[in-house]
Amino acid sequence: MTDIATNIATIQTKAAELDTLIGQVRAAKAAVDAAEAEIRQQRPVSEPSRAYQERLALVAFDQMGKPSIAGDRTIAALAADAWAGVA
């Protein structure tokens, strides 16, 4: 069993790592949101979107909230499938 000081040091170190990850998530979400917004403007209104094409960031947030679920498809795999064959 570790002592209190060691546990506090672990918490502080991991908290700093979480802060970094949160910044990366915010930047990635902003880039995805901007790209999705441009696609919505450029594609014909009559063209229906397929699953995950415009909501990948929300799916990613859902997966982060449930990290214990093993075997979920990655966001990269969902994006590849969602946009396969689209130009």
Side-chain angles (χ1 to χ4, degrees):
M1 180 183 288
T2 58
D3 62 15
I4 292 173
T6 301
N7 284 322
I8 291 171
T10 298
I11 290 168
Q12 290 173 333
T13 299
K14 294 303 176 182
E17 289 178 23
L18 288 172
D19 284 339
T20 299
L21 291 171
I22 289 166
Q24 292 171 349
V25 166
R26 286 179 177 152
K29 182 184 181 310
V32 168
D33 288 347
E36 289 173 348
E38 286 185 19
I39 288 169
R40 280 192 298 277
Q41 289 176 349
Q42 295 169 2
R43 76 189 324 188
V45 175
S46 61
E47 185 178 328
S49 62
R50 297 187 318 213
Y52 305 117
Q53 282 185 338
E54 296 178 358
R55 299 294 175 251
L56 282 172
L58 296 178
V59 174
F61 287 138
D62 187 47
Q63 285 189 2
M64 285 187 287
K66 297 182 272 183
S68 62
I69 298 174
D72 278 357
R73 296 184 65 212
T74 65
I75 300 304
L78 291 173
D81 289 347
W83 295 103
V86 177

